[in-house]
Amino acid sequence: MSDNPIKIMIKSKLLSSITQTLRGIGKRMTERIWRLGTGTRLFFLTIFYSGESFKRFHLTLREIYFTGVMSLLIIVVSAFFVGMVLALQGYNTLQKYGSSEAIGVLVALSLVRELGPVVTALLFAGRAGTAITAEIGLMKTTEQLSAMEMMAVNPIARVVAPRFWAGVISMPILATLFSMVGILGGYIVAVPLIGVDDGAFWSQMQANVDFRADIINGVIKSLVFGVACTMIALFEGFDAPPTAEGVSRATTRTVVISSLAVLALDFVLTSFMLVI
Amino acid sequence: MDRTTIDLWVGIFVAFGVAAMLGLAMKVGNLTSSKIGPTYSVTAAFENVGSLKPHAPVKSAGVVVGRVDNIVFDSKKYEAVVTIKIDKRYVFPKDTFANIYTAGLLGEQYVGLEAGGADDTLKNGDKITQTQDAIVLEKMIGQFLFSKASESKADSKTEPSTKAVDAKSGRAKSTELGDAPF
């Protein structure tokens, strides 16, 4: 009888901890859904206000320079090494089945269909996405965006839309460059280093890579990744709490969410493309 | 509008992109090789086309002379009708023989044309009458096993099959003991 109040206390403590956990989960979920809605609204606003980024195209050009041209080095170098490693690994396996001439097909198809768009998008999220988030987050922290609004300049039209279109334009170009440079890297390993026949390398590749089914689909993929990566980076920057910690967290989230979104979208797009 | 160095760099960037796209289209893809000039189409009926697909090459003496245009199923005769497009430069006699071959052991299937000796030539819309189906591996193995079984049935009266089983199990036992590393 005497330990009854204690029991009740323990029970109530347990109950409150459970409700607290549930409340935390619910809060997180509503927070996510809230952010998803805000992000979607920002996306449509960006599309709506993007007229100015084409009318004053030098704004977009500047951003293409910062997101696209400045990413060239990392894209080209990593494409080269990815292509070389693909050729080495592929040769090692194909040789067991006596079909080492198919190395060109292996390198080209895996680059054009998958690795080109996906690795480019991942590198792009790390190289350009973080820069966009940090820049816009800092603009917000230093109240440049509010200052623009005070001067009747729409920050979405002036800051967000040019960066969005720059990302969407840059990504397919970077992805095709990645594929081409990767294939050249694979060629350098396969033909002069390993000694696969030069003609067989290219002719088997041409016989098995379809322009519409493989190359165009790869470009479509990279276009979708471009929209996703850029939009996530822009939204995270736009939504970042105006503190140093907030900007740093937003930058981290950009990389994490972009990478996950790219990989998930890749699966969805591939399944659609294989069905059609 | 003033020209800036940024314009130059973006121009170079876009030019690189276009060049890579062209490279992919011309050097890697089949945009150039799939075009075979003006063609004429003929049909051929097969009982089984295996895994032949549209755009598969049509070869004669190992040279690509055309492509498979489409494959439809004829529900009256229960056979596959394959329409193939042959380059206008190549003329084949009317009694040309159409086979479905496989490139290598695991390669794709293609149509092989073997010219006959007739004076008339194939024209647009003609039908190749002499065809040979794709080889289905399961069917061949089935026939092989069937013929083997019928052979051994004839032999089994003289030689009991248990002997072979005994020999096999005996050998297995010996390797189990003899090849032990310790």
Side-chain angles (χ1 to χ4, degrees), chain B residues 33-42 52-70 82-92 108-113:
Chain B
S33 59
S34 67
K35 280 200 183 116
I36 45 171
T39 57
Y40 62 98
S41 54
V42 295
L52 190 74
K53 287 180 190 71
H55 299 298
V58 176
K59 293 183 184 178
S60 186
V63 182
V64 177
V65 295
R67 300 242 163 221
V68 172
D69 194 32
N70 70 341
V82 177
T83 310
I84 55 182
K85 282 191 165 167
I86 304 174
D87 196 316
K88 270 232 164 83
R89 287 176 296 169
Y90 305 117
V91 180
F92 286 93
E108 59 168 0
Q109 289 191 304
Y110 64 94
V111 177
L113 296 179

mmCIF file of all heavy atoms in Angstrom, chain B residues 33-42 52-70 82-92 108-113:
data_model
loop_
_atom_site.group_PDB
_atom_site.id
_atom_site.type_symbol
_atom_site.label_atom_id
_atom_site.label_comp_id
_atom_site.label_asym_id
_atom_site.label_seq_id
_atom_site.Cartn_x
_atom_site.Cartn_y
_atom_site.Cartn_z
ATOM 1 N N SER B 33 25.710 5.396 -87.584
ATOM 2 C CA SER B 33 25.795 4.063 -88.181
ATOM 3 C C SER B 33 24.428 3.456 -88.468
ATOM 4 O O SER B 33 24.323 2.522 -89.244
ATOM 5 C CB SER B 33 26.594 3.129 -87.265
ATOM 6 O OG SER B 33 25.974 3.050 -86.013
ATOM 7 N N SER B 34 23.365 4.006 -87.834
ATOM 8 C CA SER B 34 22.064 3.380 -88.064
ATOM 9 C C SER B 34 21.460 3.835 -89.382
ATOM 10 O O SER B 34 20.498 3.270 -89.863
ATOM 11 C CB SER B 34 21.118 3.713 -86.916
ATOM 12 O OG SER B 34 20.820 5.077 -86.934
ATOM 13 N N LYS B 35 22.029 4.882 -89.970
ATOM 14 C CA LYS B 35 21.498 5.346 -91.251
ATOM 15 C C LYS B 35 22.138 4.542 -92.365
ATOM 16 O O LYS B 35 23.358 4.502 -92.497
ATOM 17 C CB LYS B 35 21.822 6.837 -91.412
ATOM 18 C CG LYS B 35 20.870 7.717 -90.637
ATOM 19 C CD LYS B 35 20.908 9.126 -91.181
ATOM 20 C CE LYS B 35 20.014 10.027 -90.365
ATOM 21 N NZ LYS B 35 20.770 11.059 -89.679
ATOM 22 N N ILE B 36 21.318 3.910 -93.176
ATOM 23 C CA ILE B 36 21.886 3.080 -94.226
ATOM 24 C C ILE B 36 21.347 3.492 -95.592
ATOM 25 O O ILE B 36 21.220 2.686 -96.472
ATOM 26 C CB ILE B 36 21.632 1.584 -93.961
ATOM 27 C CG1 ILE B 36 20.194 1.356 -93.531
ATOM 28 C CG2 ILE B 36 22.614 1.033 -92.974
ATOM 29 C CD1 ILE B 36 19.819 -0.102 -93.470
ATOM 30 N N GLY B 37 21.042 4.746 -95.749
ATOM 31 C CA GLY B 37 20.632 5.237 -97.050
ATOM 32 C C GLY B 37 19.272 4.704 -97.468
ATOM 33 O O GLY B 37 18.525 4.168 -96.659
ATOM 34 N N PRO B 38 18.929 4.857 -98.757
ATOM 35 C CA PRO B 38 17.626 4.356 -99.215
ATOM 36 C C PRO B 38 17.561 2.831 -99.144
ATOM 37 O O PRO B 38 18.555 2.143 -99.382
ATOM 38 C CB PRO B 38 17.548 4.857 -100.661
ATOM 39 C CG PRO B 38 18.938 5.175 -101.053
ATOM 40 C CD PRO B 38 19.673 5.537 -99.809
ATOM 41 N N THR B 39 16.386 2.339 -98.782
ATOM 42 C CA THR B 39 16.253 0.894 -98.575
ATOM 43 C C THR B 39 15.037 0.358 -99.313
ATOM 44 O O THR B 39 14.179 1.110 -99.764
ATOM 45 C CB THR B 39 16.053 0.578 -97.081
ATOM 46 O OG1 THR B 39 14.915 1.294 -96.623
ATOM 47 C CG2 THR B 39 17.266 0.943 -96.265
ATOM 48 N N TYR B 40 14.976 -0.951 -99.442
ATOM 49 C CA TYR B 40 13.731 -1.609 -99.839
ATOM 50 C C TYR B 40 13.430 -2.666 -98.799
ATOM 51 O O TYR B 40 14.346 -3.207 -98.162
ATOM 52 C CB TYR B 40 13.820 -2.194 -101.249
ATOM 53 C CG TYR B 40 14.851 -3.274 -101.446
ATOM 54 C CD1 TYR B 40 14.493 -4.625 -101.403
ATOM 55 C CD2 TYR B 40 16.176 -2.949 -101.699
ATOM 56 C CE1 TYR B 40 15.433 -5.611 -101.589
ATOM 57 C CE2 TYR B 40 17.119 -3.928 -101.889
ATOM 58 C CZ TYR B 40 16.746 -5.269 -101.836
ATOM 59 O OH TYR B 40 17.675 -6.234 -102.017
ATOM 60 N N SER B 41 12.144 -2.926 -98.563
ATOM 61 C CA SER B 41 11.825 -3.857 -97.481
ATOM 62 C C SER B 41 11.241 -5.143 -98.031
ATOM 63 O O SER B 41 10.458 -5.144 -98.992
ATOM 64 C CB SER B 41 10.865 -3.204 -96.486
ATOM 65 O OG SER B 41 9.738 -2.713 -97.147
ATOM 66 N N VAL B 42 11.641 -6.237 -97.439
ATOM 67 C CA VAL B 42 11.091 -7.553 -97.771
ATOM 68 C C VAL B 42 10.659 -8.210 -96.477
ATOM 69 O O VAL B 42 11.088 -7.818 -95.391
ATOM 70 C CB VAL B 42 12.135 -8.437 -98.490
ATOM 71 C CG1 VAL B 42 12.499 -7.854 -99.822
ATOM 72 C CG2 VAL B 42 13.353 -8.633 -97.637
ATOM 73 N N LEU B 52 15.215 -12.153 -81.450
ATOM 74 C CA LEU B 52 15.489 -11.135 -82.466
ATOM 75 C C LEU B 52 14.677 -9.880 -82.154
ATOM 76 O O LEU B 52 13.520 -9.972 -81.756
ATOM 77 C CB LEU B 52 15.099 -11.674 -83.839
ATOM 78 C CG LEU B 52 15.526 -10.846 -85.044
ATOM 79 C CD1 LEU B 52 17.017 -11.002 -85.289
ATOM 80 C CD2 LEU B 52 14.763 -11.266 -86.285
ATOM 81 N N LYS B 53 15.316 -8.719 -82.322
ATOM 82 C CA LYS B 53 14.636 -7.467 -81.994
ATOM 83 C C LYS B 53 14.684 -6.522 -83.190
ATOM 84 O O LYS B 53 15.557 -6.658 -84.044
ATOM 85 C CB LYS B 53 15.326 -6.794 -80.800
ATOM 86 C CG LYS B 53 15.061 -7.503 -79.504
ATOM 87 C CD LYS B 53 15.756 -6.797 -78.367
ATOM 88 C CE LYS B 53 15.686 -7.625 -77.116
ATOM 89 N NZ LYS B 53 16.549 -8.824 -77.193
ATOM 90 N N PRO B 54 13.747 -5.555 -83.238
ATOM 91 C CA PRO B 54 13.858 -4.518 -84.257
ATOM 92 C C PRO B 54 15.196 -3.803 -84.144
ATOM 93 O O PRO B 54 15.751 -3.682 -83.046
ATOM 94 C CB PRO B 54 12.706 -3.572 -83.919
ATOM 95 C CG PRO B 54 11.720 -4.411 -83.210
ATOM 96 C CD PRO B 54 12.500 -5.442 -82.479
ATOM 97 N N HIS B 55 15.724 -3.334 -85.258
ATOM 98 C CA HIS B 55 17.034 -2.688 -85.384
ATOM 99 C C HIS B 55 18.188 -3.672 -85.319
ATOM 100 O O HIS B 55 19.339 -3.254 -85.330
ATOM 101 C CB HIS B 55 17.251 -1.586 -84.326
ATOM 102 C CG HIS B 55 16.259 -0.485 -84.419
ATOM 103 N ND1 HIS B 55 16.147 0.310 -85.521
ATOM 104 C CD2 HIS B 55 15.306 -0.074 -83.551
ATOM 105 C CE1 HIS B 55 15.182 1.175 -85.323
ATOM 106 N NE2 HIS B 55 14.636 0.964 -84.153
ATOM 107 N N ALA B 56 17.883 -4.973 -85.224
ATOM 108 C CA ALA B 56 18.974 -5.935 -85.268
ATOM 109 C C ALA B 56 19.566 -5.917 -86.679
ATOM 110 O O ALA B 56 18.857 -5.649 -87.652
ATOM 111 C CB ALA B 56 18.461 -7.324 -84.928
ATOM 112 N N PRO B 57 20.866 -6.165 -86.813
ATOM 113 C CA PRO B 57 21.467 -6.092 -88.139
ATOM 114 C C PRO B 57 21.059 -7.264 -89.041
ATOM 115 O O PRO B 57 20.747 -8.357 -88.563
ATOM 116 C CB PRO B 57 22.965 -6.127 -87.842
ATOM 117 C CG PRO B 57 23.093 -6.679 -86.496
ATOM 118 C CD PRO B 57 21.845 -6.367 -85.755
ATOM 119 N N VAL B 58 21.017 -6.992 -90.339
ATOM 120 C CA VAL B 58 20.833 -8.035 -91.345
ATOM 121 C C VAL B 58 22.161 -8.152 -92.066
ATOM 122 O O VAL B 58 22.678 -7.169 -92.588
ATOM 123 C CB VAL B 58 19.711 -7.649 -92.331
ATOM 124 C CG1 VAL B 58 19.590 -8.681 -93.420
ATOM 125 C CG2 VAL B 58 18.403 -7.487 -91.594
ATOM 126 N N LYS B 59 22.727 -9.350 -92.033
ATOM 127 C CA LYS B 59 24.065 -9.505 -92.582
ATOM 128 C C LYS B 59 24.060 -10.512 -93.718
ATOM 129 O O LYS B 59 23.285 -11.479 -93.704
ATOM 130 C CB LYS B 59 25.038 -10.000 -91.500
ATOM 131 C CG LYS B 59 25.275 -8.998 -90.403
ATOM 132 C CD LYS B 59 26.285 -9.532 -89.415
ATOM 133 C CE LYS B 59 26.471 -8.584 -88.252
ATOM 134 N NZ LYS B 59 27.421 -9.138 -87.271
ATOM 135 N N SER B 60 24.925 -10.271 -94.664
ATOM 136 C CA SER B 60 25.173 -11.259 -95.696
ATOM 137 C C SER B 60 26.679 -11.372 -95.836
ATOM 138 O O SER B 60 27.354 -10.353 -95.986
ATOM 139 C CB SER B 60 24.541 -10.825 -97.012
ATOM 140 O OG SER B 60 24.683 -11.873 -97.938
ATOM 141 N N ALA B 61 27.182 -12.587 -95.730
ATOM 142 C CA ALA B 61 28.626 -12.821 -95.734
ATOM 143 C C ALA B 61 29.321 -11.993 -94.654
ATOM 144 O O ALA B 61 30.458 -11.567 -94.824
ATOM 145 C CB ALA B 61 29.232 -12.511 -97.112
ATOM 146 N N GLY B 62 28.615 -11.721 -93.564
ATOM 147 C CA GLY B 62 29.217 -11.003 -92.447
ATOM 148 C C GLY B 62 29.164 -9.496 -92.560
ATOM 149 O O GLY B 62 29.539 -8.795 -91.632
ATOM 150 N N VAL B 63 28.675 -8.996 -93.713
ATOM 151 C CA VAL B 63 28.593 -7.540 -93.893
ATOM 152 C C VAL B 63 27.169 -7.091 -93.593
ATOM 153 O O VAL B 63 26.214 -7.748 -94.010
ATOM 154 C CB VAL B 63 28.970 -7.154 -95.336
ATOM 155 C CG1 VAL B 63 28.933 -5.651 -95.503
ATOM 156 C CG2 VAL B 63 30.324 -7.703 -95.689
ATOM 157 N N VAL B 64 27.035 -5.982 -92.861
ATOM 158 C CA VAL B 64 25.698 -5.475 -92.560
ATOM 159 C C VAL B 64 25.106 -4.884 -93.832
ATOM 160 O O VAL B 64 25.654 -3.952 -94.416
ATOM 161 C CB VAL B 64 25.760 -4.406 -91.449
ATOM 162 C CG1 VAL B 64 24.377 -3.839 -91.189
ATOM 163 C CG2 VAL B 64 26.318 -5.005 -90.182
ATOM 164 N N VAL B 65 23.973 -5.449 -94.292
ATOM 165 C CA VAL B 65 23.335 -4.952 -95.505
ATOM 166 C C VAL B 65 21.989 -4.312 -95.210
ATOM 167 O O VAL B 65 21.359 -3.752 -96.096
ATOM 168 C CB VAL B 65 23.147 -6.078 -96.546
ATOM 169 C CG1 VAL B 65 24.489 -6.594 -97.014
ATOM 170 C CG2 VAL B 65 22.306 -7.205 -95.981
ATOM 171 N N GLY B 66 21.528 -4.403 -93.957
ATOM 172 C CA GLY B 66 20.229 -3.824 -93.642
ATOM 173 C C GLY B 66 19.919 -3.984 -92.172
ATOM 174 O O GLY B 66 20.779 -4.385 -91.374
ATOM 175 N N ARG B 67 18.690 -3.639 -91.828
ATOM 176 C CA ARG B 67 18.265 -3.743 -90.427
ATOM 177 C C ARG B 67 16.873 -4.360 -90.370
ATOM 178 O O ARG B 67 16.093 -4.216 -91.314
ATOM 179 C CB ARG B 67 18.189 -2.366 -89.772
ATOM 180 C CG ARG B 67 19.484 -1.642 -89.766
ATOM 181 C CD ARG B 67 19.978 -1.354 -88.375
ATOM 182 N NE ARG B 67 21.376 -1.037 -88.428
ATOM 183 C CZ ARG B 67 22.268 -1.460 -87.554
ATOM 184 N NH1 ARG B 67 21.897 -2.225 -86.546
ATOM 185 N NH2 ARG B 67 23.531 -1.145 -87.657
ATOM 186 N N VAL B 68 16.560 -4.999 -89.245
ATOM 187 C CA VAL B 68 15.218 -5.509 -89.028
ATOM 188 C C VAL B 68 14.315 -4.320 -88.732
ATOM 189 O O VAL B 68 14.627 -3.505 -87.869
ATOM 190 C CB VAL B 68 15.204 -6.500 -87.852
ATOM 191 C CG1 VAL B 68 13.774 -6.883 -87.516
ATOM 192 C CG2 VAL B 68 16.010 -7.727 -88.202
ATOM 193 N N ASP B 69 13.205 -4.208 -89.480
ATOM 194 C CA ASP B 69 12.329 -3.051 -89.291
ATOM 195 C C ASP B 69 11.327 -3.320 -88.178
ATOM 196 O O ASP B 69 11.259 -2.587 -87.200
ATOM 197 C CB ASP B 69 11.626 -2.735 -90.606
ATOM 198 C CG ASP B 69 10.982 -1.363 -90.577
ATOM 199 O OD1 ASP B 69 11.540 -0.495 -89.897
ATOM 200 O OD2 ASP B 69 9.931 -1.186 -91.207
ATOM 201 N N ASN B 70 10.522 -4.352 -88.345
ATOM 202 C CA ASN B 70 9.630 -4.722 -87.239
ATOM 203 C C ASN B 70 9.294 -6.204 -87.302
ATOM 204 O O ASN B 70 9.542 -6.886 -88.313
ATOM 205 C CB ASN B 70 8.359 -3.857 -87.218
ATOM 206 C CG ASN B 70 7.448 -4.176 -88.378
ATOM 207 O OD1 ASN B 70 7.887 -4.760 -89.366
ATOM 208 N ND2 ASN B 70 6.189 -3.803 -88.251
ATOM 209 N N VAL B 82 8.785 -11.156 -90.096
ATOM 210 C CA VAL B 82 9.844 -10.168 -89.856
ATOM 211 C C VAL B 82 9.999 -9.325 -91.110
ATOM 212 O O VAL B 82 10.183 -9.855 -92.207
ATOM 213 C CB VAL B 82 11.177 -10.882 -89.528
ATOM 214 C CG1 VAL B 82 12.291 -9.861 -89.349
ATOM 215 C CG2 VAL B 82 11.029 -11.729 -88.287
ATOM 216 N N THR B 83 9.859 -7.995 -90.946
ATOM 217 C CA THR B 83 10.099 -7.091 -92.068
ATOM 218 C C THR B 83 11.524 -6.577 -91.959
ATOM 219 O O THR B 83 11.920 -6.061 -90.924
ATOM 220 C CB THR B 83 9.137 -5.903 -92.013
ATOM 221 O OG1 THR B 83 7.815 -6.404 -91.834
ATOM 222 C CG2 THR B 83 9.204 -5.090 -93.282
ATOM 223 N N ILE B 84 12.287 -6.775 -93.022
ATOM 224 C CA ILE B 84 13.670 -6.277 -92.982
ATOM 225 C C ILE B 84 13.871 -5.266 -94.099
ATOM 226 O O ILE B 84 13.288 -5.365 -95.175
ATOM 227 C CB ILE B 84 14.703 -7.427 -93.081
ATOM 228 C CG1 ILE B 84 14.473 -8.273 -94.318
ATOM 229 C CG2 ILE B 84 14.671 -8.287 -91.860
ATOM 230 C CD1 ILE B 84 15.430 -9.430 -94.420
ATOM 231 N N LYS B 85 14.689 -4.267 -93.778
ATOM 232 C CA LYS B 85 15.008 -3.230 -94.758
ATOM 233 C C LYS B 85 16.420 -3.471 -95.239
ATOM 234 O O LYS B 85 17.356 -3.552 -94.438
ATOM 235 C CB LYS B 85 14.903 -1.853 -94.099
ATOM 236 C CG LYS B 85 13.477 -1.386 -93.951
ATOM 237 C CD LYS B 85 13.421 0.064 -93.549
ATOM 238 C CE LYS B 85 12.020 0.597 -93.763
ATOM 239 N NZ LYS B 85 11.823 1.882 -93.125
ATOM 240 N N ILE B 86 16.552 -3.583 -96.538
ATOM 241 C CA ILE B 86 17.873 -3.843 -97.122
ATOM 242 C C ILE B 86 18.292 -2.621 -97.925
ATOM 243 O O ILE B 86 17.474 -1.990 -98.601
ATOM 244 C CB ILE B 86 17.827 -5.097 -98.033
ATOM 245 C CG1 ILE B 86 17.315 -6.298 -97.238
ATOM 246 C CG2 ILE B 86 19.188 -5.386 -98.624
ATOM 247 C CD1 ILE B 86 17.112 -7.522 -98.060
ATOM 248 N N ASP B 87 19.561 -2.285 -97.807
ATOM 249 C CA ASP B 87 20.124 -1.158 -98.547
ATOM 250 C C ASP B 87 19.903 -1.352 -100.045
ATOM 251 O O ASP B 87 20.097 -2.452 -100.566
ATOM 252 C CB ASP B 87 21.628 -1.076 -98.222
ATOM 253 C CG ASP B 87 22.206 0.266 -98.610
ATOM 254 O OD1 ASP B 87 21.889 0.739 -99.715
ATOM 255 O OD2 ASP B 87 22.964 0.829 -97.807
ATOM 256 N N LYS B 88 19.490 -0.282 -100.729
ATOM 257 C CA LYS B 88 19.170 -0.362 -102.171
ATOM 258 C C LYS B 88 20.369 -0.792 -103.016
ATOM 259 O O LYS B 88 20.215 -1.295 -104.124
ATOM 260 C CB LYS B 88 18.678 1.004 -102.657
ATOM 261 C CG LYS B 88 17.183 1.183 -102.531
ATOM 262 C CD LYS B 88 16.571 1.637 -103.850
ATOM 263 C CE LYS B 88 15.069 1.446 -103.876
ATOM 264 N NZ LYS B 88 14.352 2.542 -103.243
ATOM 265 N N ARG B 89 21.576 -0.549 -102.467
ATOM 266 C CA ARG B 89 22.763 -0.902 -103.258
ATOM 267 C C ARG B 89 22.925 -2.406 -103.426
ATOM 268 O O ARG B 89 23.577 -2.869 -104.344
ATOM 269 C CB ARG B 89 24.021 -0.367 -102.549
ATOM 270 C CG ARG B 89 24.181 1.129 -102.635
ATOM 271 C CD ARG B 89 25.384 1.566 -101.845
ATOM 272 N NE ARG B 89 25.205 1.291 -100.417
ATOM 273 C CZ ARG B 89 26.182 1.382 -99.513
ATOM 274 N NH1 ARG B 89 27.395 1.702 -99.893
ATOM 275 N NH2 ARG B 89 25.934 1.145 -98.243
ATOM 276 N N TYR B 90 22.325 -3.162 -102.486
ATOM 277 C CA TYR B 90 22.537 -4.610 -102.514
ATOM 278 C C TYR B 90 21.312 -5.297 -103.092
ATOM 279 O O TYR B 90 20.192 -5.079 -102.646
ATOM 280 C CB TYR B 90 22.815 -5.135 -101.116
ATOM 281 C CG TYR B 90 23.961 -4.431 -100.446
ATOM 282 C CD1 TYR B 90 23.764 -3.678 -99.285
ATOM 283 C CD2 TYR B 90 25.248 -4.493 -100.984
ATOM 284 C CE1 TYR B 90 24.810 -3.018 -98.686
ATOM 285 C CE2 TYR B 90 26.294 -3.841 -100.388
ATOM 286 C CZ TYR B 90 26.082 -3.098 -99.237
ATOM 287 O OH TYR B 90 27.116 -2.448 -98.642
ATOM 288 N N VAL B 91 21.529 -6.129 -104.080
ATOM 289 C CA VAL B 91 20.440 -6.853 -104.743
ATOM 290 C C VAL B 91 20.606 -8.331 -104.452
ATOM 291 O O VAL B 91 21.712 -8.880 -104.544
ATOM 292 C CB VAL B 91 20.478 -6.594 -106.261
ATOM 293 C CG1 VAL B 91 19.360 -7.348 -106.939
ATOM 294 C CG2 VAL B 91 20.370 -5.108 -106.543
ATOM 295 N N PHE B 92 19.506 -8.980 -104.053
ATOM 296 C CA PHE B 92 19.570 -10.399 -103.736
ATOM 297 C C PHE B 92 18.648 -11.190 -104.664
ATOM 298 O O PHE B 92 17.590 -10.679 -105.040
ATOM 299 C CB PHE B 92 19.146 -10.636 -102.287
ATOM 300 C CG PHE B 92 20.186 -10.218 -101.304
ATOM 301 C CD1 PHE B 92 20.167 -8.942 -100.756
ATOM 302 C CD2 PHE B 92 21.199 -11.088 -100.946
ATOM 303 C CE1 PHE B 92 21.131 -8.554 -99.863
ATOM 304 C CE2 PHE B 92 22.168 -10.694 -100.047
ATOM 305 C CZ PHE B 92 22.135 -9.423 -99.504
ATOM 306 N N GLU B 108 24.048 -10.945 -79.548
ATOM 307 C CA GLU B 108 22.689 -10.676 -79.997
ATOM 308 C C GLU B 108 22.404 -11.473 -81.270
ATOM 309 O O GLU B 108 23.305 -11.950 -81.942
ATOM 310 C CB GLU B 108 22.527 -9.180 -80.246
ATOM 311 C CG GLU B 108 23.495 -8.658 -81.279
ATOM 312 C CD GLU B 108 23.154 -7.259 -81.730
ATOM 313 O OE1 GLU B 108 22.173 -6.712 -81.226
ATOM 314 O OE2 GLU B 108 23.870 -6.745 -82.588
ATOM 315 N N GLN B 109 21.106 -11.563 -81.579
ATOM 316 C CA GLN B 109 20.732 -12.335 -82.756
ATOM 317 C C GLN B 109 20.598 -11.428 -83.956
ATOM 318 O O GLN B 109 20.246 -10.256 -83.839
ATOM 319 C CB GLN B 109 19.423 -13.068 -82.475
ATOM 320 C CG GLN B 109 19.675 -14.183 -81.465
ATOM 321 C CD GLN B 109 18.507 -15.110 -81.324
ATOM 322 O OE1 GLN B 109 17.422 -14.673 -81.036
ATOM 323 N NE2 GLN B 109 18.738 -16.393 -81.517
ATOM 324 N N TYR B 110 20.923 -11.957 -85.116
ATOM 325 C CA TYR B 110 20.805 -11.176 -86.344
ATOM 326 C C TYR B 110 20.283 -12.077 -87.453
ATOM 327 O O TYR B 110 20.263 -13.303 -87.325
ATOM 328 C CB TYR B 110 22.149 -10.548 -86.709
ATOM 329 C CG TYR B 110 23.245 -11.530 -87.045
ATOM 330 C CD1 TYR B 110 23.478 -11.899 -88.380
ATOM 331 C CD2 TYR B 110 24.032 -12.090 -86.060
ATOM 332 C CE1 TYR B 110 24.480 -12.796 -88.699
ATOM 333 C CE2 TYR B 110 25.029 -12.983 -86.367
ATOM 334 C CZ TYR B 110 25.256 -13.338 -87.686
ATOM 335 O OH TYR B 110 26.233 -14.228 -88.000
ATOM 336 N N VAL B 111 19.846 -11.437 -88.535
ATOM 337 C CA VAL B 111 19.347 -12.183 -89.684
ATOM 338 C C VAL B 111 20.486 -12.340 -90.674
ATOM 339 O O VAL B 111 21.135 -11.357 -91.033
ATOM 340 C CB VAL B 111 18.161 -11.452 -90.333
ATOM 341 C CG1 VAL B 111 17.691 -12.195 -91.567
ATOM 342 C CG2 VAL B 111 17.024 -11.294 -89.349
ATOM 343 N N GLY B 112 20.738 -13.556 -91.069
ATOM 344 C CA GLY B 112 21.767 -13.807 -92.065
ATOM 345 C C GLY B 112 21.115 -14.169 -93.394
ATOM 346 O O GLY B 112 20.210 -14.991 -93.427
ATOM 347 N N LEU B 113 21.551 -13.512 -94.467
ATOM 348 C CA LEU B 113 21.001 -13.801 -95.788
ATOM 349 C C LEU B 113 22.027 -14.597 -96.588
ATOM 350 O O LEU B 113 23.200 -14.213 -96.656
ATOM 351 C CB LEU B 113 20.658 -12.500 -96.515
ATOM 352 C CG LEU B 113 19.568 -11.633 -95.903
ATOM 353 C CD1 LEU B 113 19.372 -10.384 -96.744
ATOM 354 C CD2 LEU B 113 18.266 -12.402 -95.793
#
